[in-house]
Amino acid sequence: MALSVSMVFTSMPMAAEKFDYAKVKDLQGMELIDYFNGLGLKGQDALDFWKNIPVSKANKQVYDRFQKEGFQFYLDKYPTAPLYGGYAFKMGMGTKIEGPMSKQPLKLPFTAYVPLKEGPIGDPSKTYRVGYTIHGFNHPWLLNNADTAIWEANKHPNVKLTVLDPEFDNAKQARQVDTWIAQGFDGIMIWPMVEAPTGPPIQRALDKGIPCVSIDRMTGAEDITNRVTGNFPANGTQQGMYLVHRLLKETGKVKGDIIMIRKPLGGTADSMRTGHFLKVISYFPDLEIVGNYHNPSSRPDSFTQVQDALMAHPKLDVIFCTGGEQAMGSAQAVDLAKRWDSREGSRRIIILNNDDSHETLNATKEGKLAMTAPYTPLLGALGMRILLKTLAGEKLPQDITTPDIPMVTKEKENVLGVETFTVEEWAPYAYGPRMK
């Protein structure tokens, strides 16, 4: 008997031949909804339908933006491998720890994924020196990611881990990698802010025979040893699905004005989330993007950008955000402007959020964020296990993907066949300081 998506999460892509995408791409609006409803899909199968849907020409503005920014290039090269070893995540799994750096209580969801026994790795008489360069110890997502890598490394007495913060300076990150190459480190992990600048230093390490693992985002080195990729495609897809669901629920039609508050161009998070969101909404001609902004995951910048957009668009319906800082800055701007219920019919502005911090989950519970697409930072330990297994001589696939996790809403909803989590259900796995 198949398990409900609320119990088990995978990212196994459903075969495209199960859906008649040749027919789908010519549908629009309610034609598409009727076709989808006729399939009777639920859970991961329903999410896969929307995740793999081709971009449509039904909404010319959205289609043109999708093509102009080259999203299909990013979507095509993003790894879509099945979960390694047939892994499936069930609610309740994971390990509670105290973050070694943050001292915050965390529950790591994927500690049973690519398991590694505690104790020495490889040659027990050797000390393995590994480095992890990850931007932004001042940001809770990145700090907690580093926490998990340190926690895993500490379980293995012959592993010496150095963790450095290049402080969002790509050149500094490259220098850190080059220093480790010169010092003869055994392995390197990297969290790249954007792809291109990380390619040359990682390639130099690979050329010296040093295994390298990227966490969360892609690097510019195509033959990197391993890539740990998350559920970015699911994130953007879920934002689009929720928007369609919400608008149909409110008015019976998918119509509205959207602004997009996005991360920097060229980053994996922005390209994947925005690209998948645009694919979904491209089927609905009455959606219009009236503003498009970028910032370096800055809450103050997001606040200012949304302030400007609210002044320019008195009936703004939707704020699409590619990260939690963008979402929280957006909510602050709507708060200050007292514009929450300023849509036609006094309906509430819809803020679509990514990243499941305790703060954003709290804002979701308060109704300020309409939904949150979880993207856990607690991946450093997974990357560390992969790197250490490689150093011990085990051969792993280049791409290790993580499960798709259903979106979080204030109250449990069925969004186009996918049952959401409530804030209370997902909160144990959230990151960052706990809200009082």
Side-chain angles (χ1 to χ4, degrees), residues 151 283 288:
W151 172 80
Y283 286 80
E288 182 178 0

Side-chain angles (χ1 to χ4, degrees), residues 167-206:
E167 300 174 317
F168 302 106
D169 182 333
N170 292 318
K172 184 175 181 180
Q173 186 168 57
R175 290 195 298 272
Q176 290 172 350
V177 172
D178 285 331
T179 297
W180 290 336
I181 295 171
Q183 293 174 345
F185 269 43
D186 298 286
I188 293 172
M189 277 199 347
I190 185 169
W191 183 89
M193 181 169 61
V194 292
E195 292 185 21
T198 60
I202 291 298
Q203 191 60 54
R204 289 192 287 272
L206 296 169

Side-chain angles (χ1 to χ4, degrees), residues 29-30 59 243-258 281 284-289 315-318 343-344 347 350:
M30 291 308 299
N59 187 317
L243 179 59
V244 171
H245 158 82
R246 173 73 172 263
L247 293 174
L248 285 174
K249 183 178 177 181
E250 289 179 341
T251 66
K253 54 188 177 182
V254 183
K255 180 179 180 180
D257 291 346
I258 304 168
I281 70 169
F284 301 93
D286 293 329
L287 293 174
E288 182 178 0
I289 299 170
K315 293 295 182 183
L316 183 66
D317 296 285
V318 182
R343 292 170 56 210
E344 185 176 346
R347 295 186 181 90
I350 300 168

Side-chain angles (χ1 to χ4, degrees), residues 65 69 71 260-266 270 274 292-298 301-302 305 322 326:
R65 178 175 292 279
E69 294 198 33
F71 285 112
M260 300 198 296
I261 309 297
R262 298 167 52 187
K263 291 176 180 285
L265 275 171
D270 177 70
T274 307
N292 179 66
Y293 306 84
H294 291 272
N295 65 65
S297 294
S298 164
D301 288 354
S302 301
Q305 289 164 346
T322 55
Q326 281 86 356

